[in-house]
């Protein structure tokens, strides 16, 4: 429903479906939290979006004659975040984060920091991924990263690669005291977050580092005030490969 968001049919045709999903999910996140979107208009609400694919834009590049004045704003990754700020009149930081598989979690970390340091009073944090062009499939296949039978067998001796998937999510974050004072619906509390890089502590740029991951987990645990035994659920990268899985398991 492009008209609902003030987008003309002509512009909507050139709009990456990932941007369309983010608009819908942002509205639903605010609605679910009991926060009217109009109440955030004009505030320093931040927007952080994890996004790394531009398949829809590549479709346009396949035939340059179809490009229009809306092609760039419809398919540039930065606009995926900026459009939310524009449509909902949000004045805080607004940026797209691309760290490949960890994009949405890194976006979440930056949003938490923005709230902690007072740069923003609230934040929309999202991640989106749609598979709309064969190029990435071919590239990852050439790199032997994708499962040949289309099944991801994480932490299994038969693991031969991962399976690409689609999805999207948007969360509305506020400092806990503010959310309580506003009577918002609270689904969870983030105690701590963290980001690091492996550097050269591995044999290849696409391979994970046991030292790098454990170092980060220790730091975030210390920051949260929890002990390892307090953690009930761990979500793994789970690449389903003979190289990545043993390192992550260790």
């Amino acid at each position: 429903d492009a008209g609902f968001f003030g987008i003309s049919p002509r512009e909507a045709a050139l709009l990456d479906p990932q941007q369309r999903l983010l608009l819908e999910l942002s509205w639903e996140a605010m609605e679910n939290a009991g926060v009217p979107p109009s109440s955030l208009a004009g505030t320093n609400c931040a927007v952080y979006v994890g996004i790394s694919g531009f398949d829809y834009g590549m479709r346009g590049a396949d035939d340059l004659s179809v490009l229009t004045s809306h092609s760039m704003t419809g398919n540039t990754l930065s606009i995926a975040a900026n459009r939310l700020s524009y449509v909902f009149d949000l004045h805080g930081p607004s940026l797209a984060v691309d760290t490949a598989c960890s994009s949405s979690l890194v976006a979440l970390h930056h949003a938490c920091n923005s709230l902690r340091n007072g740069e923003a009073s609230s934040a929309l944090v999202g991640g989106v991924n749609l598979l709309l062009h064969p190029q990435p499939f071919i590239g990852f296949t050439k790199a032997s990263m994708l499962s040949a039978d289309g099944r991801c067998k994480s932490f299994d001796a038969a693991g031969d690669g991962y399976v690409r998937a689609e999805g999207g999510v948007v969360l509305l974050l506020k400092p806990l005291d503010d959310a309580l004072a506003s009577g918002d619906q609270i689904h969870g509390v983030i105690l701590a977050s963290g980001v690091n890089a492996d550097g050269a502590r591995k044999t290849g740029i696409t391979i994970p580092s046991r030292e790098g991951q454990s170092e980060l987990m220790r730091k975030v645990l210390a920051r949260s005030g929890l002990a390892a035994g307090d953690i009930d659920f761990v979500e793994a990268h789970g690449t389903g490969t003979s190289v990545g899985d043993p390192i992550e398991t260790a």
Side-chain angles (χ1 to χ4, degrees), residues 5 23 26-27 30 37 40-41 84-90 124:
F5 294 103
L23 283 167
S26 296
W27 183 277
M30 291 182 274
L40 294 179
L84 300 181
S85 301
Y86 174 72
V87 168
F88 298 114
D89 190 25
L90 311 177
L124 285 173

Side-chain angles (χ1 to χ4, degrees), residues 189-241:
V189 179
I190 299 168
L191 297 182
S193 63
V195 172
N196 75 346
D198 296 334
R201 294 176 289 184
K202 50 192 184 180
T203 56
I205 195 168
T206 62
I207 298 171
S209 165
R210 180 177 66 179
E211 293 77 13
Q213 291 193 14
S214 57
E215 174 188 278
L216 180 61
M217 285 189 269
R218 288 192 181 99
K219 286 183 177 179
V220 176
L221 271 174
R223 205 174 295 148
S224 71
L226 299 173
D230 297 324
I231 304 300
D232 297 315
F233 177 82
V234 176
E235 182 173 340
H237 192 176
T239 58
T241 62

Side-chain angles (χ1 to χ4, degrees), residues 107-194:
L108 181 75
H109 170 72
H110 284 303
C112 289
N113 284 345
S114 188
L115 295 177
R116 287 193 192 98
N117 64 28
E119 187 177 40
S121 56
S122 59
L124 285 173
V125 188
V128 67
N129 192 53
L130 292 178
L131 312 176
L132 306 171
H133 196 281
Q135 189 264 350
F137 283 96
I138 296 170
F140 287 127
T141 299
K142 296 288 186 181
S144 301
M145 293 180 177
L146 299 186
S147 172
D149 63 3
R151 293 179 178 273
C152 194
K153 299 172 283 292
S154 299
F155 307 115
D156 189 302
D160 63 346
Y162 76 103
V163 181
R164 304 183 73 211
E166 299 180 309
V169 66
V170 172
L171 305 177
L172 175 61
L173 304 185
K174 280 186 178 181
L176 180 59
D177 289 345
D178 293 350
L180 290 170
S182 300
D184 301 330
Q185 179 163 305
I186 300 171
H187 291 285
V189 179
I190 299 168
L191 297 182
S193 63

Side-chain angles (χ1 to χ4, degrees), residues 73-85:
T73 53
N75 295 279
T76 306
L77 297 188
S78 60
I79 300 295
N82 299 159
R83 191 175 294 277
L84 300 181
S85 301

